[in-house]
Each structure stands twice: as C-alpha cells, then as structure tokens.
Amino acid sequence: MKSVDQWLTQAAQLDQQALTHIYETLSPALYRYAYRLLGNARDAEDIVAETFHRWLLALQHGRGPDRHLSAYLYRIAHNLITDRYRRR
C-alpha cells in the first residue's frame, strides 16, 4: 500500500483517485486537531474544508509540497485556526 506522500505525484496531476485517498486518509485527523483547538464541530469542519481547498488551489498553480503532505496540511489548518482566534 502506498503512503500518502507516494500519492503526491498523482495528486499534483489532480488525479481524482489520489485526491480522494489523501482526503479520506488525512481529513479525520485534521478534523480532530481542529475540533480539539476550537471546541466546535462546525468550525472544525470549516477548517478541514478550507485546508483542502487551499491545497487544491496550490496544486492547480503548480505549487504545494513534494513530500510531507501531512505537515503541510497541518500548517495550513493551524494558520486558519490562528486567524479564526484573531478575528474573535
């Protein structure tokens, strides 16, 4: 079985199967992280959705990580959570 980082090459080509696999693999942990920090299910869902949205935008522009995708996504989520606290 491929690791998430091994799916990155296909994801960079916007391969639907790779994107789905990565989302299904990483989104539950990102949700738990966001929920733990925000204490709200709806906010946590919004953070996960926006995190993956930003990653997809980066892919469309030929950017994003070549490896360590999990760390990349956690950094996006962390920044979004920090921004949310600043707005409060």
Side-chain angles (χ1 to χ4, degrees), residues 19-70:
L19 294 171
T20 299
H21 174 78
I22 290 169
Y23 179 81
E24 289 175 351
T25 301
L26 297 179
S27 65
L30 284 169
Y31 173 82
R32 288 189 301 273
Y33 174 72
Y35 183 82
R36 186 169 30 97
L37 294 176
L38 296 169
N40 181 297
R42 184 176 176 153
D43 288 345
E45 290 169 2
D46 289 347
I47 292 296
V48 171
E50 183 62 22
T51 297
F52 279 95
H53 175 75
R54 290 188 182 197
W55 176 52
L56 288 173
L57 288 176
L59 288 178
Q60 289 174 339
H61 291 96
R63 296 190 312 260
D66 293 331
R67 56 192 175 129
H68 307 296
L69 177 60
S70 180

Side-chain angles (χ1 to χ4, degrees), residues 66-81:
D66 293 331
R67 56 192 175 129
H68 307 296
L69 177 60
S70 180
Y72 178 86
L73 294 175
Y74 272 96
R75 175 52 55 194
I76 293 172
H78 176 80
N79 290 343
L80 291 168
I81 292 166

